[in-house]
């Protein structure tokens, strides 16, 4: 008979794979940022929240805090590196205001983690107490991480556009939340259940918003307009060209040319 521990390990491995996909899902967004050399209206909030969340879960899964949690350590350690890369790219292509904000938040997160590590290791001397303290912090900041897309969701409602809320990220977030909630319920771990259960809820809301506002999202227009080729005309031909200009959404100007040709006998 298959033991609950074996099932839990299998679900945890699947969760690692899905979480890895979740961490990689913003790659198209950051590739776009690199190509355009501008973060546009993308927000750093989800990546800053995820970075802190990964640091806390890595600490929670260490043998000195919560033994037998290697699957929690592996995926969050990978996520920590990936999020650091994303934030580096975001920082490089942000304006001064965003860079200052990110610098303050990152410094605060680093100081906070140092204080937590020292406080837990020096003040709590059993695995149970350490797991309790760090677990509560993981619940709090895991909830913040999963709720951080609320800023994006409010933007979607205001602009009636899902351009800056990638569908892939929402889908993988849902799968990730379902998998880790199941993992936590097999051998009940409330600290993993609460944030991932909320993650499922927020991901479902994002998908509902995507379904509602997908059709109202402005479609990208091709900026390269080609005029038709006009063959040479006879010497006695009168050509009248009427040119009208329309403003393009990106600030450029597109011209529509109407050519009337009158051929004299």
């Amino acid at each position: 008979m298959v033991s609950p521990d074996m099932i839990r390990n299998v679900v945890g491995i699947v969760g690692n794979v899905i979480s890895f996909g979740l961490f990689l899902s913003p790659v198209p967004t950051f590739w776009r940022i690199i190509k355009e050399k501008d973060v546009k209206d993308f927000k750093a909030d989800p990546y800053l929240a995820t970075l802190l969340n990964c640091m806390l879960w890595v600490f929670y899964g260490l043998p000195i805090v919560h033994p037998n949690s290697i699957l929690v350590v592996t995926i969050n350690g990978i996520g920590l590196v990936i999020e650091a890369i994303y934030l580096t790219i975001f920082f490089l292509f942000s304006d001064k205001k965003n860079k200052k904000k990110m610098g303050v938040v990152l410094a605060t997160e680093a100081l906070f983690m140092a204080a937590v590590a020292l406080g837990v290791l020096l003040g709590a001397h059993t695995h149970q107490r350490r797991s309790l303290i760090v677990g509560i912090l993981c619940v709090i900041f895991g909830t913040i991480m999963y709720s951080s897309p609320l800023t994006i969701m409010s933007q979607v409602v205001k602009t009636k556009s899902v351009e800056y809320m990638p569908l892939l990220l929402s889908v993988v977030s849902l799968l990730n939340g379902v998998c880790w909630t199941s993992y936590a319920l097999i051998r009940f771990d409330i600290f993993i259940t609460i944030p991932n259960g909320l993650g499922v809820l927020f991901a479902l809301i994002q998908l509902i918003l995507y379904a509602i506002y997908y059709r109202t999202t402005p479609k990208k227009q091709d900026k390269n307009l080609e005029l038709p080729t006009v063959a040479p005309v006879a010497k006695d031909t009168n050509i009248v060209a009427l040119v009208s200009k329309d403003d393009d959404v990106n600030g450029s100007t597109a011209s529509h040319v109407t050519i009337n040709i009158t051929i004299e006998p």
Side-chain angles (χ1 to χ4, degrees):
M1 184 175 178
V2 180
S3 67
D5 284 342
M6 183 178 293
I7 296 174
R8 189 172 187 261
N9 286 334
V10 171
V11 174
I13 292 170
V14 174
N16 269 249
V17 174
I18 295 175
S19 294
F20 185 66
L22 175 63
F23 288 130
L24 291 181
S25 58
V27 166
T29 296
F30 282 90
W31 179 243
R32 175 180 171 182
I33 289 173
I34 291 171
K35 287 200 301 182
E36 298 183 1
K37 301 185 186 304
D38 189 356
V39 298
K40 299 289 184 182
D41 288 333
F42 291 109
K43 306 289 185 183
D45 301 5
Y47 310 105
L48 290 166
T50 304
L51 182 74
L52 178 58
N53 187 65
C54 287
M55 288 191 285
L56 283 168
W57 281 111
V58 167
F59 188 50
Y60 177 83
L62 292 177
I64 56 176
V65 176
H66 192 79
N68 304 317
S69 300
I70 188 64
L71 291 174
V72 175
V73 175
T74 53
I75 189 56
N76 284 284
I78 293 171
L80 185 62
V81 174
I82 294 174
E83 295 302 318
I85 294 172
Y86 289 157
L87 287 169
T88 300
I89 295 171
F90 207 98
F91 186 86
L92 289 174
F93 296 107
S94 292
D95 56 27
K96 289 183 179 180
K97 182 180 178 181
N98 272 333
K99 286 181 178 179
K100 184 177 179 180
K101 176 186 174 183
M102 288 179 64
V104 171
V105 174
L106 289 170
T108 303
E109 289 183 358
L111 291 172
F112 175 77
M113 276 307 303
V116 169
L118 288 173
V120 169
L121 296 178
L122 297 178
H125 303 291
T126 64
H127 288 144
Q128 186 177 2
R129 286 181 62 83
R130 289 175 177 177
S131 297
L132 177 63
I133 295 169
V134 182
I136 290 172
L137 291 174
C138 285
V139 168
I140 294 171
F141 290 98
T143 302
I144 292 173
M145 182 197 75
Y146 280 117
S147 62
S148 60
L150 286 173
T151 57
I152 302 296
M153 286 189 270
S154 64
Q155 181 182 6
V156 169
V157 174
K158 288 177 183 176
T159 62
K160 302 187 185 307
S161 169
V162 295
E163 181 179 3
Y164 296 105
M165 189 178 71
L167 176 62
L168 180 60
L169 184 58
S170 301
V171 172
V172 181
S173 293
L174 176 63
L175 295 175
N176 182 70
V178 169
C179 191
W180 283 107
T181 301
S182 302
Y183 173 87
L185 291 175
I186 293 172
R187 176 175 285 183
F188 190 64
D189 187 331
I190 192 170
F191 302 127
I192 298 178
T193 302
I194 293 175
N196 285 286
L198 288 172
V200 172
L201 176 63
F202 289 131
L204 284 172
I205 294 173
Q206 289 178 57
L207 291 175
I208 292 170
L209 288 176
Y210 200 94
I212 293 172
Y213 294 111
Y214 173 73
R215 293 184 181 278
T216 59
T217 301
K219 300 296 185 291
K220 294 180 182 178
Q221 297 182 356
D222 188 3
K223 297 179 182 179
N224 299 319
L225 300 176
E226 294 184 4
L227 293 176
T229 303
V230 180
V233 295
K235 187 174 182 180
D236 293 332
T237 300
N238 295 327
I239 300 176
V240 179
L242 301 176
V243 181
S244 61
K245 295 184 178 180
D246 294 322
D247 291 332
D248 186 67
V249 292
N250 295 316
S252 59
T253 302
S255 299
H256 299 277
V257 182
T258 303
I259 302 177
N260 295 328
I261 302 177
T262 304
I263 301 178
E264 297 179 355

